[in-house]
Amino acid sequence: MKVGIDKLHFATSHLYVDMAELATARQAEPDKYLIGIGQSKMAVIPPSQDAVTLAANAAAPMLTAADIAAIDLLVVGTESGIDNSKASAIYVAKLLGLDRRVRTIEMKEACYAATAGVQLAQDHVRVHPDKKALVIGSDVARYGLNTPGEPTQGGGAVAMLISADPKVLALGTESSLLSEDVMDFWRPLYHTEALVDGKYSSNIYIDYFQDVFKNYLQTTQTSPEALTALVFHLPYTKMGLKALRSVLPLVGANQQAQWLAHFEHARQLNRQVGNLYTGSLYLSLLSQLLTDPQLQPGNQLGLFSYGSGAEGEFYTGVIQPDCQAGLDQGLPQRLARRRRVSVAEYEALFSHQLQWRADDQSVSYADDPHRFVLTGQKDEQRQYLDRQG
Ligand code: HMG
């Protein structure tokens, strides 16, 4: 039985900052951000969006009434949680109108958590093939203004419907995993921005990729040439390029050229958004499938998921004949329609998030065009609005 990704959709903010302009404001060469980091635009997440609203905005447009009736598992992977106890998935299930008889959980392991959700979901559907699972990776990536990590911020959510006989990608059942205690990136409960040892984290990422990739090839007796393209978690798009370059010596010149050409499509949409932590690998998968004319049904893709702290996993999927029907076809146009904000406006939005305080607060949301918005906090409870509700 084939099990895998049946539908794949993305949501981010309607605002972005231009990376050349940000570089100039930070006294950096624009090419450092555009080429050295590999980012052209960075999503600016307004105070009216959080991990819950981004998740709901990603999933709602793709779900039919039949999907909603079949979903009995919702996993939200996030490291931008809004509550230390209650799962963001509970709020998301309510906004989406899911049935009460659904298992709703939030998962955390930095950027890796959505992959844990995908693997849990595929196991669940293999046991209950008449059911569907919804897995969403949703985050706002924040390092702080004027920090080295600033050009690698961003945010958004990727929603994946996991089912039997999937339209998009049939997932393999084998994978290679690695998990160890590494202090490369973390966020203590009292911090709103991540702490990171940037260079160290980039080195650990490559070590993990090499380890799980080679281990996967060895334990599954897979030839690297069997993998048409490699898709990466992209905290910034140069990171994936560095990892890819590190394994090019394993294949011949033709395969090297193909992998490098496919990678340019895999990073096309991520270049315009920035890091979105848990959803980043799956935005890259969406980018690969939407923008790469050389890919065909039957091609096998290798997927590398990395979460700091650290955990890595390499697994594979095969493109299905009806792939394009399950994808968020309007995404490139939506990204192109976003409004560019100045660096000053981005800084103001960055600093005006809902405060981690007990008092009632309201959030300006009139300019936010999304269906689901955060309107504020009342009696220590976040207030969400469904404009179609
Ligand atoms: P930095 O110190 O500002 O940058 O930090 P740099 O000096 O290393 O320069 C970056 C690149 O630009 C270099 O290229 C320069 O040569 C190049 P590289 O040597 O790396 O190939 N450069 C130029 N290129 C062209 N023209 C120029 C120019 N000038 C310089 N004029 C860093 C960069 C990424 C470390 C920083 O932004 C950071 O700390 N980011 C956050 C951490 C991060 O993203 N780590 C990635 C791996 S960990 C991960 O993926 C997990 C994560 O997603 C979190 C999670 O799991 O939850 C982060």
CSV table of all heavy atoms in Angstrom, one decimal, residues 28-38 79 109-112 139 143 147-152 184-185 194 196-206 233-236 238-239 242 245 275-278 280 306-309, ligand 1:
chain,number,residue,atom,x,y,z
A,28,ALA,N,26.4,45.8,5.7
A,28,ALA,CA,27.0,44.6,5.0
A,28,ALA,C,26.9,44.7,3.5
A,28,ALA,O,26.0,45.5,3.0
A,28,ALA,CB,26.2,43.3,5.5
A,29,GLU,N,27.7,44.0,2.8
A,29,GLU,CA,27.6,44.0,1.3
A,29,GLU,C,26.3,43.3,1.0
A,29,GLU,O,26.1,42.2,1.5
A,29,GLU,CB,28.8,43.1,0.8
A,29,GLU,CG,30.1,43.8,0.9
A,29,GLU,CD,30.4,44.7,-0.3
A,29,GLU,OE1,29.8,44.5,-1.4
A,29,GLU,OE2,31.0,45.8,-0.1
A,30,PRO,N,25.5,43.8,0.1
A,30,PRO,CA,24.3,43.1,-0.4
A,30,PRO,C,24.6,41.7,-0.8
A,30,PRO,O,23.8,40.7,-0.5
A,30,PRO,CB,23.7,43.9,-1.5
A,30,PRO,CG,24.2,45.3,-1.2
A,30,PRO,CD,25.5,45.2,-0.5
A,31,ASP,N,25.7,41.4,-1.5
A,31,ASP,CA,26.0,40.1,-1.9
A,31,ASP,C,26.3,39.1,-0.8
A,31,ASP,O,26.2,37.9,-1.0
A,31,ASP,CB,27.2,40.1,-2.9
A,31,ASP,CG,26.8,40.4,-4.3
A,31,ASP,OD1,25.5,40.6,-4.5
A,31,ASP,OD2,27.7,40.6,-5.1
A,32,LYS,N,26.6,39.6,0.4
A,32,LYS,CA,26.8,38.7,1.5
A,32,LYS,C,25.4,38.0,1.8
A,32,LYS,O,25.3,36.8,2.0
A,32,LYS,CB,27.2,39.4,2.8
A,32,LYS,CG,27.3,38.5,4.0
A,32,LYS,CD,27.8,39.1,5.2
A,32,LYS,CE,27.7,38.1,6.4
A,32,LYS,NZ,28.2,38.6,7.7
A,33,TYR,N,24.3,38.8,1.8
A,33,TYR,CA,23.0,38.2,2.1
A,33,TYR,C,22.5,37.5,0.8
A,33,TYR,O,21.9,36.4,1.0
A,33,TYR,CB,22.0,39.3,2.5
A,33,TYR,CG,22.2,39.9,3.9
A,33,TYR,CD1,23.4,39.7,4.6
A,33,TYR,CD2,21.3,40.7,4.4
A,33,TYR,CE1,23.6,40.2,5.8
A,33,TYR,CE2,21.5,41.3,5.7
A,33,TYR,CZ,22.6,41.0,6.4
A,33,TYR,OH,22.8,41.6,7.6
A,34,LEU,N,22.7,38.1,-0.4
A,34,LEU,CA,22.1,37.5,-1.6
A,34,LEU,C,22.8,36.2,-2.0
A,34,LEU,O,22.1,35.3,-2.4
A,34,LEU,CB,22.1,38.5,-2.7
A,34,LEU,CG,21.3,39.8,-2.5
A,34,LEU,CD1,21.6,40.8,-3.6
A,34,LEU,CD2,19.8,39.6,-2.3
A,35,ILE,N,24.1,36.2,-1.9
A,35,ILE,CA,24.9,35.0,-2.4
A,35,ILE,C,25.4,34.3,-1.2
A,35,ILE,O,25.3,33.0,-1.1
A,35,ILE,CB,26.0,35.5,-3.3
A,35,ILE,CG1,25.5,36.2,-4.5
A,35,ILE,CG2,26.9,34.3,-3.7
A,35,ILE,CD1,26.5,37.0,-5.3
A,36,GLY,N,26.1,35.0,-0.3
A,36,GLY,CA,26.8,34.3,0.8
A,36,GLY,C,25.8,33.5,1.8
A,36,GLY,O,26.0,32.4,2.2
A,37,ILE,N,24.6,34.2,2.0
A,37,ILE,CA,23.5,33.5,2.8
A,37,ILE,C,22.6,32.9,1.8
A,37,ILE,O,22.0,31.8,2.1
A,37,ILE,CB,22.8,34.6,3.7
A,37,ILE,CG1,23.8,35.3,4.7
A,37,ILE,CG2,21.6,34.0,4.4
A,37,ILE,CD1,24.2,34.5,5.9
A,38,GLY,N,22.3,33.5,0.7
A,38,GLY,CA,21.5,32.9,-0.3
A,38,GLY,C,20.0,33.2,-0.2
A,38,GLY,O,19.1,32.4,-0.5
A,79,GLU,N,8.4,25.2,17.2
A,79,GLU,CA,9.2,25.6,18.3
A,79,GLU,C,8.9,27.1,18.7
A,79,GLU,O,9.7,27.8,19.3
A,79,GLU,CB,10.7,25.5,18.0
A,79,GLU,CG,11.1,26.1,16.7
A,79,GLU,CD,12.6,25.9,16.4
A,79,GLU,OE1,13.4,26.3,17.1
A,79,GLU,OE2,12.9,25.2,15.3
A,109,GLU,N,11.0,19.4,18.5
A,109,GLU,CA,12.5,19.1,18.5
A,109,GLU,C,13.0,20.1,17.4
A,109,GLU,O,13.3,19.6,16.3
A,109,GLU,CB,12.8,17.6,18.2
A,109,GLU,CG,14.3,17.2,18.3
A,109,GLU,CD,15.3,18.3,18.5
A,109,GLU,OE1,15.4,18.9,19.6
A,109,GLU,OE2,16.1,18.6,17.5
A,110,ALA,N,13.1,21.3,17.8
A,110,ALA,CA,13.6,22.4,16.9
A,110,ALA,C,13.0,22.2,15.5
A,110,ALA,O,11.8,21.9,15.3
A,110,ALA,CB,15.1,22.4,16.9
A,111,CYS,N,13.8,22.3,14.4
A,111,CYS,CA,13.2,22.3,13.1
A,111,CYS,C,12.8,20.9,12.6
A,111,CYS,O,12.3,20.7,11.5
A,111,CYS,CB,14.2,22.8,12.1
A,111,CYS,SG,14.6,24.5,12.4
A,112,TYR,N,13.2,19.9,13.4
A,112,TYR,CA,12.9,18.5,13.0
A,112,TYR,C,11.5,18.0,13.2
A,112,TYR,O,11.0,17.1,12.6
A,112,TYR,CB,13.9,17.5,13.8
A,112,TYR,CG,13.5,16.1,13.7
A,112,TYR,CD1,13.8,15.4,12.5
A,112,TYR,CD2,12.9,15.4,14.7
A,112,TYR,CE1,13.5,14.1,12.3
A,112,TYR,CE2,12.5,14.1,14.6
A,112,TYR,CZ,12.8,13.4,13.4
A,112,TYR,OH,12.4,12.1,13.2
A,139,ASP,N,6.1,28.0,12.3
A,139,ASP,CA,7.0,28.8,13.1
A,139,ASP,C,7.2,30.2,12.7
A,139,ASP,O,7.0,30.5,11.5
A,139,ASP,CB,8.4,28.1,13.1
A,139,ASP,CG,8.4,26.9,14.1
A,139,ASP,OD1,8.3,27.2,15.3
A,139,ASP,OD2,8.6,25.8,13.7
A,143,TYR,N,15.8,35.8,15.7
A,143,TYR,CA,17.1,35.8,16.3
A,143,TYR,C,17.3,37.2,17.0
A,143,TYR,O,18.2,37.3,17.8
A,143,TYR,CB,18.2,35.6,15.3
A,143,TYR,CG,18.2,34.1,14.7
A,143,TYR,CD1,17.5,33.8,13.6
A,143,TYR,CD2,18.9,33.1,15.4
A,143,TYR,CE1,17.5,32.6,13.1
A,143,TYR,CE2,18.9,31.8,14.9
A,143,TYR,CZ,18.2,31.6,13.7
A,143,TYR,OH,18.2,30.3,13.2
A,147,THR,N,21.6,41.1,14.8
A,147,THR,CA,22.3,39.9,15.2
A,147,THR,C,22.8,39.2,14.0
A,147,THR,O,22.3,39.4,12.9
A,147,THR,CB,21.5,38.9,16.0
A,147,THR,OG1,20.4,38.5,15.2
A,147,THR,CG2,20.9,39.5,17.3
A,148,PRO,N,23.9,38.4,14.1
A,148,PRO,CA,24.3,37.6,12.9
A,148,PRO,C,23.2,36.7,12.3
A,148,PRO,O,23.2,36.5,11.1
A,148,PRO,CB,25.5,36.7,13.4
A,148,PRO,CG,25.9,37.4,14.7
A,148,PRO,CD,24.8,38.1,15.3
A,149,GLY,N,22.3,36.2,13.2
A,149,GLY,CA,21.2,35.4,12.7
A,149,GLY,C,20.1,36.1,12.0
A,149,GLY,O,19.3,35.5,11.4
A,150,GLU,N,20.1,37.5,12.1
A,150,GLU,CA,19.0,38.2,11.6
A,150,GLU,C,18.7,37.9,10.1
A,150,GLU,O,17.5,37.7,9.8
A,150,GLU,CB,19.2,39.7,11.8
A,150,GLU,CG,18.1,40.6,11.3
A,150,GLU,CD,18.3,42.1,11.5
A,150,GLU,OE1,19.5,42.5,11.3
A,150,GLU,OE2,17.3,42.8,11.7
A,151,PRO,N,19.7,37.9,9.2
A,151,PRO,CA,19.3,37.6,7.8
A,151,PRO,C,18.8,36.2,7.6
A,151,PRO,O,18.4,35.8,6.5
A,151,PRO,CB,20.6,37.8,7.1
A,151,PRO,CG,21.7,37.7,8.1
A,151,PRO,CD,21.1,38.2,9.4
A,152,THR,N,18.8,35.3,8.6
A,152,THR,CA,18.2,34.0,8.5
A,152,THR,C,16.9,33.8,9.2
A,152,THR,O,16.5,32.7,9.6
A,152,THR,CB,19.3,32.9,8.9
A,152,THR,OG1,19.5,33.0,10.3
A,152,THR,CG2,20.6,33.0,8.2
A,184,ASP,N,23.9,23.7,19.8
A,184,ASP,CA,24.2,24.6,18.6
A,184,ASP,C,23.2,25.7,18.5
A,184,ASP,O,23.4,26.7,17.9
A,184,ASP,CB,24.3,23.8,17.3
A,184,ASP,CG,23.0,23.0,17.0
A,184,ASP,OD1,22.2,22.7,17.9
A,184,ASP,OD2,22.8,22.8,15.7
A,185,PHE,N,22.0,25.5,19.0
A,185,PHE,CA,20.9,26.4,18.9
A,185,PHE,C,19.8,26.0,19.9
A,185,PHE,O,19.5,24.8,20.0
A,185,PHE,CB,20.3,26.3,17.5
A,185,PHE,CG,19.0,27.0,17.2
A,185,PHE,CD1,18.9,28.1,16.4
A,185,PHE,CD2,17.8,26.4,17.7
A,185,PHE,CE1,17.7,28.7,16.2
A,185,PHE,CE2,16.6,27.0,17.4
A,185,PHE,CZ,16.5,28.2,16.6
A,194,ALA,N,16.0,33.1,19.6
A,194,ALA,CA,16.8,31.9,19.8
A,194,ALA,C,18.2,32.3,20.2
A,194,ALA,O,18.7,33.4,19.8
A,194,ALA,CB,16.8,31.1,18.5
A,196,VAL,N,22.1,31.0,19.6
A,196,VAL,CA,22.7,30.1,18.5
A,196,VAL,C,24.2,30.3,18.5
A,196,VAL,O,24.7,31.5,18.6
A,196,VAL,CB,22.0,30.4,17.2
A,196,VAL,CG1,22.3,31.8,16.7
A,196,VAL,CG2,22.5,29.4,16.1
A,197,ASP,N,24.9,29.2,18.2
A,197,ASP,CA,26.3,29.3,17.9
A,197,ASP,C,26.3,29.0,16.4
A,197,ASP,O,26.4,27.9,15.9
A,197,ASP,CB,27.1,28.2,18.7
A,197,ASP,CG,28.6,28.3,18.5
A,197,ASP,OD1,29.0,28.9,17.5
A,197,ASP,OD2,29.3,27.8,19.4
A,198,GLY,N,26.2,30.1,15.6
A,198,GLY,CA,25.9,30.0,14.2
A,198,GLY,C,26.9,29.1,13.4
A,198,GLY,O,26.4,28.2,12.7
A,199,LYS,N,28.2,29.4,13.5
A,199,LYS,CA,29.1,28.6,12.6
A,199,LYS,C,29.1,27.1,13.1
A,199,LYS,O,29.1,26.2,12.2
A,199,LYS,CB,30.5,29.2,12.8
A,199,LYS,CG,30.7,30.6,12.4
A,199,LYS,CD,31.2,30.7,10.9
A,199,LYS,CE,31.0,32.0,10.3
A,199,LYS,NZ,31.1,33.3,11.0
A,200,TYR,N,29.1,26.9,14.4
A,200,TYR,CA,29.0,25.6,14.9
A,200,TYR,C,27.8,24.8,14.4
A,200,TYR,O,27.8,23.7,14.0
A,200,TYR,CB,29.0,25.7,16.4
A,200,TYR,CG,29.0,24.3,17.2
A,200,TYR,CD1,29.9,23.3,16.9
A,200,TYR,CD2,28.1,24.1,18.2
A,200,TYR,CE1,29.9,22.1,17.6
A,200,TYR,CE2,28.0,22.9,18.9
A,200,TYR,CZ,29.0,21.9,18.6
A,200,TYR,OH,28.9,20.8,19.3
A,201,SER,N,26.6,25.6,14.4
A,201,SER,CA,25.4,24.9,14.0
A,201,SER,C,25.5,24.5,12.5
A,201,SER,O,25.0,23.5,12.1
A,201,SER,CB,24.2,25.8,14.2
A,201,SER,OG,24.2,26.9,13.3
A,202,SER,N,26.1,25.4,11.7
A,202,SER,CA,26.2,25.0,10.3
A,202,SER,C,27.1,23.8,10.1
A,202,SER,O,26.9,23.0,9.2
A,202,SER,CB,26.8,26.2,9.5
A,202,SER,OG,25.9,27.4,9.7
A,203,ASN,N,28.2,23.7,10.9
A,203,ASN,CA,29.1,22.5,10.8
A,203,ASN,C,28.3,21.3,11.2
A,203,ASN,O,28.5,20.2,10.6
A,203,ASN,CB,30.3,22.7,11.6
A,203,ASN,CG,31.2,23.8,11.0
A,203,ASN,OD1,31.1,24.1,9.8
A,203,ASN,ND2,32.0,24.4,11.9
A,204,ILE,N,27.6,21.4,12.3
A,204,ILE,CA,26.9,20.2,12.8
A,204,ILE,C,25.8,19.7,11.8
A,204,ILE,O,25.7,18.5,11.6
A,204,ILE,CB,26.1,20.5,14.2
A,204,ILE,CG1,27.2,20.8,15.3
A,204,ILE,CG2,25.2,19.4,14.6
A,204,ILE,CD1,27.8,19.6,15.9
A,205,TYR,N,25.2,20.7,11.2
A,205,TYR,CA,24.2,20.4,10.1
A,205,TYR,C,24.8,19.5,9.0
A,205,TYR,O,24.3,18.5,8.6
A,205,TYR,CB,23.7,21.7,9.5
A,205,TYR,CG,22.7,21.6,8.4
A,205,TYR,CD1,21.4,22.0,8.5
A,205,TYR,CD2,23.2,21.2,7.1
A,205,TYR,CE1,20.5,21.9,7.4
A,205,TYR,CE2,22.3,21.1,6.0
A,205,TYR,CZ,21.0,21.5,6.2
A,205,TYR,OH,20.1,21.5,5.1
A,206,ILE,N,26.0,19.9,8.6
A,206,ILE,CA,26.7,19.1,7.5
A,206,ILE,C,27.1,17.8,8.0
A,206,ILE,O,26.9,16.8,7.3
A,206,ILE,CB,27.9,19.9,6.9
A,206,ILE,CG1,27.3,21.1,6.2
A,206,ILE,CG2,28.7,19.1,6.0
A,206,ILE,CD1,28.3,22.0,5.4
A,233,HIS,N,16.4,20.7,4.6
A,233,HIS,CA,16.0,21.7,5.5
A,233,HIS,C,16.8,22.9,5.1
A,233,HIS,O,18.1,22.8,5.0
A,233,HIS,CB,16.2,21.3,6.9
A,233,HIS,CG,16.2,22.4,7.9
A,233,HIS,ND1,15.1,23.2,8.1
A,233,HIS,CD2,17.2,22.9,8.8
A,233,HIS,CE1,15.4,24.2,9.0
A,233,HIS,NE2,16.6,24.0,9.4
A,234,LEU,N,16.2,24.1,4.9
A,234,LEU,CA,17.0,25.3,4.5
A,234,LEU,C,16.8,26.4,5.4
A,234,LEU,O,16.0,27.3,5.2
A,234,LEU,CB,16.5,25.7,3.1
A,234,LEU,CG,16.8,24.7,1.9
A,234,LEU,CD1,16.2,25.3,0.6
A,234,LEU,CD2,18.3,24.5,1.8
A,235,PRO,N,17.7,26.5,6.5
A,235,PRO,CA,17.7,27.6,7.4
A,235,PRO,C,18.0,28.9,6.7
A,235,PRO,O,17.6,30.0,7.0
A,235,PRO,CB,18.7,27.2,8.4
A,235,PRO,CG,19.6,26.3,7.8
A,235,PRO,CD,18.7,25.5,6.8
A,236,TYR,N,18.9,28.8,5.7
A,236,TYR,CA,19.2,29.8,4.6
A,236,TYR,C,19.7,28.9,3.5
A,236,TYR,O,20.2,27.8,3.6
A,236,TYR,CB,20.2,30.8,5.1
A,236,TYR,CG,21.5,30.2,5.7
A,236,TYR,CD1,22.7,30.1,4.8
A,236,TYR,CD2,21.6,29.7,6.9
A,236,TYR,CE1,23.9,29.6,5.3
A,236,TYR,CE2,22.8,29.2,7.4
A,236,TYR,CZ,23.9,29.1,6.6
A,236,TYR,OH,25.1,28.5,7.1
A,238,LYS,N,22.0,28.9,1.2
A,238,LYS,CA,23.4,28.5,1.0
A,238,LYS,C,23.7,27.3,1.9
A,238,LYS,O,24.6,26.5,1.5
A,238,LYS,CB,24.3,29.7,1.4
A,238,LYS,CG,25.8,29.4,1.4
A,238,LYS,CD,26.3,29.5,0.0
A,238,LYS,CE,27.8,29.5,-0.1
A,238,LYS,NZ,28.4,30.7,0.4
A,239,MET,N,23.0,27.1,3.0
A,239,MET,CA,23.2,25.9,3.9
A,239,MET,C,23.0,24.6,3.1
A,239,MET,O,23.8,23.7,3.2
A,239,MET,CB,22.3,26.0,5.1
A,239,MET,CG,22.6,25.0,6.2
A,239,MET,SD,24.1,25.2,7.2
A,239,MET,CE,25.1,23.9,6.5
A,242,LYS,N,25.7,24.0,0.6
A,242,LYS,CA,27.0,23.5,1.2
A,242,LYS,C,26.9,22.0,1.5
A,242,LYS,O,27.8,21.3,1.3
A,242,LYS,CB,27.3,24.3,2.5
A,242,LYS,CG,27.7,25.7,2.4
A,242,LYS,CD,28.1,26.1,3.8
A,242,LYS,CE,28.3,27.6,3.9
A,242,LYS,NZ,29.0,28.0,5.1
A,245,ARG,N,27.0,20.1,-1.8
A,245,ARG,CA,28.4,20.0,-2.3
A,245,ARG,C,29.3,19.0,-1.6
A,245,ARG,O,30.2,18.4,-2.1
A,245,ARG,CB,29.1,21.4,-2.2
A,245,ARG,CG,28.6,22.4,-3.3
A,245,ARG,CD,29.3,23.7,-3.1
A,245,ARG,NE,28.9,24.7,-4.1
A,245,ARG,CZ,28.9,26.0,-3.9
A,245,ARG,NH1,29.3,26.5,-2.8
A,245,ARG,NH2,28.6,26.8,-4.9
A,275,ASN,N,14.0,31.4,6.8
A,275,ASN,CA,13.8,30.2,7.6
A,275,ASN,C,12.4,30.2,8.1
A,275,ASN,O,11.8,31.2,8.5
A,275,ASN,CB,14.8,30.1,8.7
A,275,ASN,CG,15.0,28.7,9.3
A,275,ASN,OD1,14.3,27.8,8.9
A,275,ASN,ND2,15.9,28.6,10.2
A,276,LEU,N,11.8,29.0,8.1
A,276,LEU,CA,10.5,28.8,8.8
A,276,LEU,C,10.6,27.6,9.7
A,276,LEU,O,9.6,26.9,9.9
A,276,LEU,CB,9.3,28.8,7.8
A,276,LEU,CG,9.3,27.8,6.7
A,276,LEU,CD1,7.9,27.1,6.5
A,276,LEU,CD2,9.7,28.5,5.4
A,277,TYR,N,11.8,27.3,10.2
A,277,TYR,CA,12.1,26.2,11.1
A,277,TYR,C,11.4,24.9,10.7
A,277,TYR,O,11.8,24.4,9.7
A,277,TYR,CB,11.6,26.7,12.5
A,277,TYR,CG,12.4,27.8,13.2
A,277,TYR,CD1,11.9,28.5,14.2
A,277,TYR,CD2,13.7,28.1,12.8
A,277,TYR,CE1,12.6,29.5,14.9
A,277,TYR,CE2,14.5,29.0,13.5
A,277,TYR,CZ,13.9,29.7,14.5
A,277,TYR,OH,14.6,30.7,15.2
A,278,THR,N,10.3,24.5,11.4
A,278,THR,CA,9.8,23.1,11.1
A,278,THR,C,9.3,22.9,9.7
A,278,THR,O,9.3,21.8,9.2
A,278,THR,CB,8.6,22.8,12.1
A,278,THR,OG1,7.7,24.0,12.1
A,278,THR,CG2,9.0,22.6,13.5
A,280,SER,N,10.5,24.3,6.9
A,280,SER,CA,11.5,24.7,5.9
A,280,SER,C,11.7,23.6,4.9
A,280,SER,O,11.7,23.8,3.6
A,280,SER,CB,12.8,25.1,6.6
A,280,SER,OG,13.8,25.2,5.7
A,306,TYR,N,16.6,18.4,9.5
A,306,TYR,CA,17.6,18.7,10.6
A,306,TYR,C,16.9,19.6,11.6
A,306,TYR,O,16.3,20.6,11.2
A,306,TYR,CB,18.8,19.3,10.0
A,306,TYR,CG,19.8,19.7,11.2
A,306,TYR,CD1,20.6,18.7,11.8
A,306,TYR,CD2,19.9,21.0,11.7
A,306,TYR,CE1,21.4,19.0,12.8
A,306,TYR,CE2,20.8,21.3,12.7
A,306,TYR,CZ,21.5,20.2,13.3
A,306,TYR,OH,22.3,20.5,14.4
A,307,GLY,N,17.1,19.2,12.9
A,307,GLY,CA,16.7,20.1,13.9
A,307,GLY,C,17.8,20.3,14.9
A,307,GLY,O,18.4,19.3,15.3
A,308,SER,N,18.1,21.5,15.2
A,308,SER,CA,19.2,21.7,16.2
A,308,SER,C,19.0,21.1,17.5
A,308,SER,O,17.8,20.8,17.9
A,308,SER,CB,19.4,23.2,16.4
A,308,SER,OG,20.0,23.8,15.3
A,309,GLY,N,20.0,20.8,18.2
A,309,GLY,CA,19.9,20.2,19.5
A,309,GLY,C,20.4,18.9,19.8
A,309,GLY,O,20.8,18.6,21.0
B,1,HMG,P1,27.9,35.5,9.6
B,1,HMG,O1,29.0,35.4,10.6
B,1,HMG,O2,27.2,36.8,9.6
B,1,HMG,O3,28.3,35.3,8.2
B,1,HMG,O4,26.8,34.4,10.0
B,1,HMG,P2,29.7,34.8,7.5
B,1,HMG,O5,30.7,35.8,7.8
B,1,HMG,O6,30.0,33.4,7.8
B,1,HMG,O7,29.3,34.9,6.0
B,1,HMG,C1,28.3,34.1,5.5
B,1,HMG,C2,28.7,33.7,4.1
B,1,HMG,O8,28.6,34.9,3.2
B,1,HMG,C3,30.1,33.2,4.0
B,1,HMG,O9,30.0,32.1,3.0
B,1,HMG,C4,30.9,34.4,3.4
B,1,HMG,O10,32.0,34.0,2.7
B,1,HMG,C5,29.8,35.0,2.5
B,1,HMG,P3,30.5,30.6,3.4
B,1,HMG,O11,31.9,30.7,3.8
B,1,HMG,O12,29.7,30.3,4.6
B,1,HMG,O13,30.2,29.8,2.2
B,1,HMG,N1,30.1,36.4,2.1
B,1,HMG,C6,29.9,36.8,0.9
B,1,HMG,N2,29.5,36.2,-0.3
B,1,HMG,C7,29.4,37.0,-1.4
B,1,HMG,N3,29.7,38.3,-1.4
B,1,HMG,C8,30.1,39.0,-0.3
B,1,HMG,C9,30.2,38.2,0.9
B,1,HMG,N4,30.6,38.5,2.2
B,1,HMG,C10,30.5,37.4,2.9
B,1,HMG,N5,30.4,40.3,-0.4
B,1,HMG,C11,25.3,32.5,9.9
B,1,HMG,C12,26.2,33.5,9.1
B,1,HMG,C13,24.6,31.6,9.0
B,1,HMG,C14,26.3,31.7,10.8
B,1,HMG,C15,24.3,33.4,10.8
B,1,HMG,O14,23.4,34.1,10.0
B,1,HMG,C16,23.6,32.6,11.8
B,1,HMG,O15,24.0,32.3,12.9
B,1,HMG,N6,22.3,32.1,11.4
B,1,HMG,C17,21.5,31.3,12.4
B,1,HMG,C18,22.0,29.8,12.5
B,1,HMG,C19,21.7,29.0,11.3
B,1,HMG,O16,20.9,29.3,10.5
B,1,HMG,N7,22.4,27.8,11.3
B,1,HMG,C20,22.1,26.8,10.2
B,1,HMG,C21,22.4,25.4,10.7
B,1,HMG,S1,21.5,24.9,12.1
B,1,HMG,C22,19.8,24.7,11.5
B,1,HMG,O17,19.6,24.5,10.4
B,1,HMG,C23,18.8,24.6,12.5
B,1,HMG,C24,17.9,25.9,12.6
B,1,HMG,O18,17.0,26.0,11.5
B,1,HMG,C25,17.2,25.9,14.0
B,1,HMG,C26,16.3,24.7,14.3
B,1,HMG,O19,16.6,23.6,14.1
B,1,HMG,O20,15.3,25.0,15.0
B,1,HMG,C27,18.8,27.1,12.6
